[in-house]
Amino acid sequence: MSQSEYFEEQLSKVEDDSIAELTALCRKLQEQQPGSRVPLIDPIHDVDEARVISLQIAPGPGTSSGFLSLRNDDPTAARLAAVYDAAGLEPRYGIPWNVFPWELPDGGTKLTPDQVKAGIRPLKELMRIAYRTSAIVAHGTEAKRLVQAWIKAGGQQVINQRGIKIYEVRSTADRAFLGSAEKQQVWFDEMVAAYTDAMARAGVRPTKK
C-alpha cells in the first residue's frame, strides 16, 4: 500500500471511537488559531489503550500527510517508528504528541517560551482524554520544558493520582543525532530503554519478533 493510499484509508477512520476525541481536540486547536494547521493523530493509535505519550517538538514536514504518524516520510517519524519497533511497543499503546501542536509558520526547529507555554493546555486535554496513560517520554529540550511547565500548572496532581513516570530522552530529529555511529546507537538504545521500562510498568507486553 502506498503512502497516499494508507493515509486516505486512515482519514476514513478518524471518527472511530478509539481516536475520535483526539481528532476533535486537534480540530479545536486548529480553530483556535485561524489559518493554522494541526495534524490529526493516526488512527493506528488508541486513546483507550494508550499508556505512553511520545512528546516531541512540533509538526514537521512529514505531517504534510495530514497526520502525526509513524508512517510519515521524514527522519523524525522513521526514528520514532524504529524505537517503537525495537521496544516491541504496539502503536495502539502509544500516542505521538507535540509540545506545540500547531505547524510552525516559518518551518523552524526551535520554540519560543510563549510557544512552549501555549502547549500546556493542549497537554492537559490530551492527558484527560488518554486517561490510562502512565508515562510521558519527553524527546528533547522543549518537551522537557513543557512537562515541567505542565507540572507547575497542576500536572503534579495527575502524576500522583495515576503514577505517571516522566522519561527524558533525546529528540528523534536528525539534528539531535549528529555524532558518530557509536554515539547514535547509544542515544537510540537510551530511547528504547525508556519505552521498555514504561511498558513494563504499565504491564504492556512487547510484541514478539
Side-chain angles (χ1 to χ4, degrees), residues 143-195:
K144 297 171 191 175
R145 288 174 179 166
L146 175 60
V147 169
Q148 291 304 312
W150 168 66
I151 288 172
K152 292 178 181 178
Q156 188 63 57
Q157 183 177 358
V158 179
I159 289 173
N160 294 342
Q161 289 174 343
R162 288 159 54 174
I164 294 171
K165 184 172 180 178
I166 309 299
Y167 299 85
E168 296 184 354
V169 298
R170 211 167 188 84
S171 166
T172 58
D174 273 353
R175 67 183 182 280
F177 269 74
L178 295 175
S180 67
E182 290 78 10
K183 287 184 178 179
Q184 290 181 29
Q185 188 62 52
V186 169
W187 298 331
F188 181 84
D189 290 344
E190 288 172 349
M191 291 183 194
V192 173
Y195 281 93

Side-chain angles (χ1 to χ4, degrees), residues 22-184:
L22 271 183
T23 298
L25 173 59
C26 291
R27 287 174 172 163
K28 181 177 76 172
L29 293 174
Q30 183 165 306
E31 290 171 0
Q32 288 174 358
Q33 293 195 18
S36 69
R37 194 176 73 89
V38 177
L40 303 179
I41 306 301
D42 189 337
I44 198 171
H45 303 284
D46 187 329
V47 295
D48 295 319
E49 295 288 347
R51 306 299 201 281
V52 186
I53 301 298
S54 301
L55 186 61
Q56 303 193 86
I57 179 173
T63 58
S64 58
S65 66
F67 289 96
L68 277 185
S69 174
L70 300 174
R71 289 283 299 269
N72 279 341
D73 187 18
D74 68 87
T76 297
R79 191 167 283 121
L80 185 60
V83 170
Y84 270 46
D85 184 63
L89 177 60
E90 293 181 48
R92 65 192 173 110
Y93 293 122
I95 291 179
W97 193 250
N98 286 320
V99 173
F100 190 71
W102 302 270
E103 188 176 65
L104 292 171
D106 58 358
T109 58
K110 293 185 178 181
L111 300 180
T112 66
D114 284 344
Q115 287 171 325
V116 173
K117 184 178 179 180
I120 297 174
R121 187 175 295 277
L123 181 59
K124 284 183 177 181
E125 285 291 301
L126 172 65
M127 298 305 292
R128 178 187 64 79
I129 293 169
Y131 60 95
R132 299 180 74 182
T133 299
S134 59
I136 299 175
V137 181
H139 286 271
T141 302
E142 284 86 354
K144 297 171 191 175
R145 288 174 179 166
L146 175 60
V147 169
Q148 291 304 312
W150 168 66
I151 288 172
K152 292 178 181 178
Q156 188 63 57
Q157 183 177 358
V158 179
I159 289 173
N160 294 342
Q161 289 174 343
R162 288 159 54 174
I164 294 171
K165 184 172 180 178
I166 309 299
Y167 299 85
E168 296 184 354
V169 298
R170 211 167 188 84
S171 166
T172 58
D174 273 353
R175 67 183 182 280
F177 269 74
L178 295 175
S180 67
E182 290 78 10
K183 287 184 178 179
Q184 290 181 29

